[in-house]
Amino acid sequence: MKFFGITLLLFLPLCLAAQQPLSPEEQEKQFREAIEAQIEDYTDLLDLEYWQVFYVDSIMSHDYTAMRDEIKSLSDAKVGNSDAYVRVQDKWMEQMFQSFKKVFTEDQWNKYLKSGAQRDKKNRDKREAKRMQ
């Protein structure tokens, strides 16, 4: 659930763009602030080492940017099917999940899973199984 909350925060500028236009710089600033807030949460929760913070920052910056670009391209193409957006989100959240597994220690990984990542993973897996039917 935490991931969906942060994802909503990341895409809030896209939604607000229809109401009041934000400059690309302001959108990027809000995007980066949301990522930094999530990194701070993980650093505090998991007691990350400095090198782990670097990797988590790199992973999140890359994957959230790629997800944002894919969702924007769907939006620009005027795709109305919400399943397409959820599929893109699930793809990139799964990518981050697998990447974090390589960076965290066993104790950190268990804390991460207990913080809601395991529930999110189960929900992604259920949606994927439903799509495969």
Side-chain angles (χ1 to χ4, degrees), residues 76-125:
D76 290 346
K78 302 202 185 309
V79 173
N81 184 356
S82 63
D83 288 341
Y85 294 92
V86 172
R87 194 173 315 117
V88 168
Q89 184 177 0
D90 284 350
K91 174 179 111 177
W92 288 105
M93 297 310 288
E94 182 65 23
Q95 175 70 31
M96 276 190 268
F97 182 86
Q98 296 302 326
S99 298
F100 288 161
K101 190 173 188 177
K102 296 174 186 174
V103 173
F104 297 157
T105 65
E106 188 175 334
D107 289 338
Q108 290 170 330
W109 182 249
N110 290 331
K111 283 183 187 177
Y112 172 70
L113 291 175
K114 288 178 185 176
S115 73
Q118 192 166 21
R119 182 181 58 244
D120 294 338
K121 170 73 170 143
K122 185 189 277 187
N123 290 336
R124 280 194 306 274
D125 290 346

Side-chain angles (χ1 to χ4, degrees), residues 14-130:
L14 292 175
C15 298
L16 293 176
Q19 296 173 3
Q20 47 178 225
L22 292 175
S23 71
E25 294 83 20
E26 290 171 331
Q27 289 178 2
E28 188 63 32
K29 182 180 175 189
Q30 287 182 352
F31 178 73
R32 190 67 210 160
E33 286 173 354
I35 289 174
E36 287 174 5
Q38 187 66 41
I39 291 168
E40 283 182 36
D41 288 346
Y42 286 154
T43 301
D44 294 340
L45 175 70
L46 305 174
D47 194 29
L48 298 177
E49 298 288 332
Y50 70 93
W51 63 270
Q52 290 174 309
V53 173
F54 173 78
Y55 279 113
V56 169
D57 183 22
S58 298
I59 291 164
M60 291 179 77
S61 295
H62 173 269
D63 291 352
Y64 275 129
T65 299
M67 181 178 14
R68 179 181 63 175
D69 293 345
E70 261 190 78
I71 288 176
K72 185 170 179 355
S73 68
L74 288 174
S75 179
D76 290 346
K78 302 202 185 309
V79 173
N81 184 356
S82 63
D83 288 341
Y85 294 92
V86 172
R87 194 173 315 117
V88 168
Q89 184 177 0
D90 284 350
K91 174 179 111 177
W92 288 105
M93 297 310 288
E94 182 65 23
Q95 175 70 31
M96 276 190 268
F97 182 86
Q98 296 302 326
S99 298
F100 288 161
K101 190 173 188 177
K102 296 174 186 174
V103 173
F104 297 157
T105 65
E106 188 175 334
D107 289 338
Q108 290 170 330
W109 182 249
N110 290 331
K111 283 183 187 177
Y112 172 70
L113 291 175
K114 288 178 185 176
S115 73
Q118 192 166 21
R119 182 181 58 244
D120 294 338
K121 170 73 170 143
K122 185 189 277 187
N123 290 336
R124 280 194 306 274
D125 290 346
K126 282 182 185 178
R127 286 191 295 271
E128 183 63 27
K130 192 173 183 180

